[in-house]
Amino acid sequence: MADITHAHMPHPPASAHGAGEGAGIPHPYHLVKPSPWPLLGAFAAGLFATGMVIYMHDGGWLLAALGFASVLAVMFGWWRDIIREAVREKAHTPVVKIGLRYGMALFIASEVMFFAAFFWAFYDSALYPKVFAENPQGVWPPPNITPLETFHLPLMMTLILLLSGVTVTWAHHAILEGRNSEAARALGLTVLLGVMFTFFQGWEYAHAAFGFKQGIYPSTFYMATGFHGFHVIVGTIFLAVCWFRTMKGHFTPRSHFGFEAAAWYWHFVDVVWLFLFVSIYWWGSLGATGGH
């Protein structure tokens, strides 16, 4: 009798159910499940930072390498979970995507500030060069520096990045029109162009006539262009992940913010390089203060 009575009792309202059953007051936000990645990420970042400090004090590179590998492992696991939330769990609602867009925009804005500091250092050194024993007249570039040929390898690297901006835009339009196979081809070309840029930048560094420790010009040059090169590597990996996701059919015309974020980042990298090319490779090698 108890079983029959229980079977005919009305179910409690949705708000009375526990959160573990996926019920409750309906809302468009994503309540993330408990995750180990923030804690593991903090430990990995601390290990990497400690290892780099030890390495810079001639204490060996093993701890730094272990920390770097730990950071990569956390990034892989964390972002894999985010892809799973988006593709399988459909947790990225329109409201959630708005938050992701704002987050990516603010991240790129913070990266702009990084490069603003490097440009500031370069222009301050170029417009107000210091007078010292090897540069008694205070000219820029310093007399002991032979700048790179602006319209040789740097120009070709510029054309490679501009072409990659075209191919990533091609991929975006293909996704919007539902042509995933075409988008995958365009993304594959973009990744290839990113790898080519990194190869030629490594070639440029290997054949440069000045080293990192030879004064303010090499320091500002390698810091600005090297930090940009790091961003190219990150963006290439970002786009490579999108390439694999495109081939798996993760992106649709109405839902593809993962790709859009990568495209935003890549266009940002392109624009920064144009400023670097004009400022450091061209203007900075002319003798900005009428000297060299």
Side-chain angles (χ1 to χ4, degrees):
M1 183 67 181
D3 292 338
I4 296 175
T5 303
H6 177 75
H8 287 82
M9 287 179 63
H11 292 289
S15 60
H17 285 291
E21 298 177 18
I25 300 174
H27 59 77
Y29 301 98
H30 177 208
L31 300 181
V32 183
K33 298 176 182 177
S35 170
W37 302 122
L39 181 62
L40 293 178
F43 279 120
L47 181 63
F48 180 52
T50 303
M52 287 300 296
V53 170
I54 293 174
Y55 170 73
M56 292 177 187
H57 286 80
D58 300 323
W61 54 267
L62 184 60
L63 192 61
L66 179 61
F68 183 66
S70 301
V71 170
L72 291 179
V74 170
M75 291 166 60
F76 177 84
W78 200 340
W79 291 341
R80 179 199 59 191
D81 287 355
I82 293 173
I83 292 173
R84 181 185 297 115
E85 290 166 359
V87 177
R88 296 184 184 177
E89 300 177 11
K90 308 296 182 184
H92 291 178
T93 63
V95 172
V96 172
K97 289 177 184 176
I98 291 174
L100 294 175
R101 289 175 183 275
Y102 278 120
M104 190 65 193
L106 290 172
F107 169 69
I108 291 176
S110 71
E111 296 291 286
V112 170
M113 294 300 103
F114 264 120
F115 283 102
F118 297 143
F119 280 111
W120 188 310
F122 179 81
Y123 275 104
D124 179 69
S125 302
L127 292 171
Y128 306 101
K130 305 299 184 290
V131 176
F132 56 97
E134 296 178 354
N135 189 10
Q137 297 180 348
V139 298
W140 187 269
N144 63 324
I145 296 297
T146 302
L148 297 166
E149 292 288 341
T150 305
F151 297 104
H152 288 177
L153 193 58
L155 178 61
M156 184 175 69
M157 294 162 63
T158 302
L159 296 176
I160 288 173
L161 270 191
L162 291 176
L163 181 58
S164 72
V166 173
T167 56
V168 78
T169 303
W170 171 25
H172 191 190
H173 283 281
I175 289 175
L176 288 173
E177 296 172 8
R179 302 195 305 269
N180 277 7
S181 59
E182 183 178 326
R185 288 197 299 272
L187 271 175
L189 287 174
T190 309
V191 171
L192 177 61
L193 291 168
V195 172
M196 288 174 59
F197 179 91
T198 300
F199 171 79
F200 285 121
Q201 188 170 43
W203 179 276
E204 176 184 79
Y205 284 0
H207 293 81
F210 48 83
F212 186 83
K213 299 180 179 180
Q214 288 183 235
I216 187 62
Y217 181 95
S219 296
T220 53
F221 172 85
Y222 283 117
M223 198 67 204
T225 60
F227 196 66
H228 175 270
F230 170 73
H231 279 70
V232 170
I233 293 173
V234 171
T236 302
I237 296 172
F238 202 171
L239 289 169
V241 172
C242 291
W243 181 26
F244 289 117
R245 292 188 64 191
T246 302
M247 290 188 289
K248 288 180 174 292
H250 286 185
F251 300 131
T252 67
R254 298 188 61 183
S255 181
H256 54 271
F257 178 70
F259 167 79
E260 281 188 304
W264 290 0
Y265 188 84
W266 196 251
H267 288 310
F268 157 72
V269 168
D270 284 351
V271 172
V272 169
W273 176 258
L274 292 178
F275 280 96
L276 286 171
F277 179 77
V278 172
S279 299
I280 295 180
Y281 286 99
W282 179 64
W283 180 82
S285 65
L286 290 177
T289 57
H292 189 62

